[in-house]
Amino acid sequence: MDLGIIGQAAGLFAVTNIDDILILALFFAQGAGHPGSTRRIVLGQYLGFAAILAVAVAAAFGATFLPESAIHYLGLLPLALGLKAAWQAWKDHRDGARDEEAEQTKERGPRPLEVAAVTFANGGDNIGVYVPVFATAGVGGMSVYAAVFLVLVAVWCFAGKFFATRPVIAKALARWGHILLPLVLIAIGLGILIEGGAFGL
C-alpha cells in the first residue's frame, strides 16, 4: 500500500474536518452521563460521513446525486437543528425545571440521525474537495482514501470525547453547552447558506 496516498488522505481528512472535533465535543457533552449516548453519537458520525463519501464517490464516477447548486442548501439542516436546540434550551430556562418528558428526551442525548444530519450538512463543502481528488486517484486510490477516512472518523470521535471529558472543558461545556451547541449549529448553517449564495444571500 502506498504510504504517500495514506499520508495525503490523512492530511485531506484533517484539513476538511477540523471543525467536526468541536461539534463532536459538544454532542458528547450533551450526552454525558446518559447510557448509550457515545454509541449513538459515533453511529451518527459514521452515517453522516458515509453519506458524504457515497455522494463524493458517485460524483467522481459521474453520477452526481446532488447538483452543485443544491449542496449549499444543506445548511438548512444544522440551522433547523440549531433552532430546535435553542428553543429547547430557552424553554428549559423559562420553565426553571424540566418536566418528566423533557428529562427523558434529554436523557437519550443526541440521536444518531441528528448527528448524521449535522455531519453531512457540515461536510457539504468536503464533497467539492473530495470529488476531483477521487476522480484522479482511480479506483485503487479511492479505496485507500475511503479506508483512511473511515479509520480517522473513529479517531475524531475519540478526540471529541477526550476534549468533552477533560475536567476544565467538561465543566465549561456542562455550564454553557446548551447555549454553545445551538449557536454553533446555527452559525454552521448560516455559513453554508451564505457561502453558497443560497436564497440570494
Side-chain angles (χ1 to χ4, degrees):
M1 192 174 283
D2 190 343
L3 292 178
I5 294 181
I6 294 175
Q8 289 169 13
L12 182 62
F13 182 91
V15 168
T16 55
N17 292 284
I18 194 69
D19 54 339
D20 273 355
I21 292 180
L22 170 62
I23 298 166
L24 280 166
L26 288 168
F27 277 137
F28 280 119
Q30 189 183 44
H34 304 309
S37 65
T38 296
R39 185 177 67 251
R40 288 190 293 273
I41 293 166
V42 172
L43 174 61
Q45 184 71 6
Y46 266 101
L47 285 173
F49 198 80
I52 291 171
L53 271 182
V55 172
V57 168
F61 281 120
T64 306
F65 293 131
L66 291 174
E68 189 175 338
S69 59
I71 289 177
H72 299 291
Y73 288 95
L74 293 174
L76 291 171
L77 290 171
L79 179 61
L81 290 170
L83 290 172
K84 178 186 170 190
W87 169 255
Q88 186 62 51
W90 178 80
K91 206 164 72 166
D92 290 344
H93 176 72
R94 184 194 63 182
D95 295 343
R98 300 180 183 95
D99 59 30
E100 188 178 337
E101 183 183 342
E103 185 64 42
Q104 288 172 354
T105 301
K106 187 73 172 175
E107 213 167 84
R108 290 195 299 268
R111 295 176 183 145
L113 290 180
E114 291 175 345
V115 177
V118 172
T119 301
F120 184 72
N122 192 39
D125 287 345
N126 297 14
I127 294 170
V129 177
Y130 297 161
V131 170
V133 173
F134 286 179
T136 56
V139 175
M142 201 184 303
S143 301
V144 175
Y145 273 97
V148 172
F149 285 1
L150 292 173
V151 169
L152 289 177
V153 167
V155 174
W156 248 234
C157 289
F158 175 82
K161 177 132 190 186
F162 175 82
F163 287 121
T165 54
R166 295 310 90 198
V168 174
I169 298 173
K171 187 176 178 182
L173 290 177
R175 184 170 182 186
W176 301 107
H178 67 289
I179 295 172
L180 282 175
L181 182 62
L183 288 178
V184 169
L185 293 179
I186 289 169
I188 288 171
L190 289 175
I192 293 170
L193 291 169
I194 292 169
E195 184 183 342
F199 303 112
L201 296 173

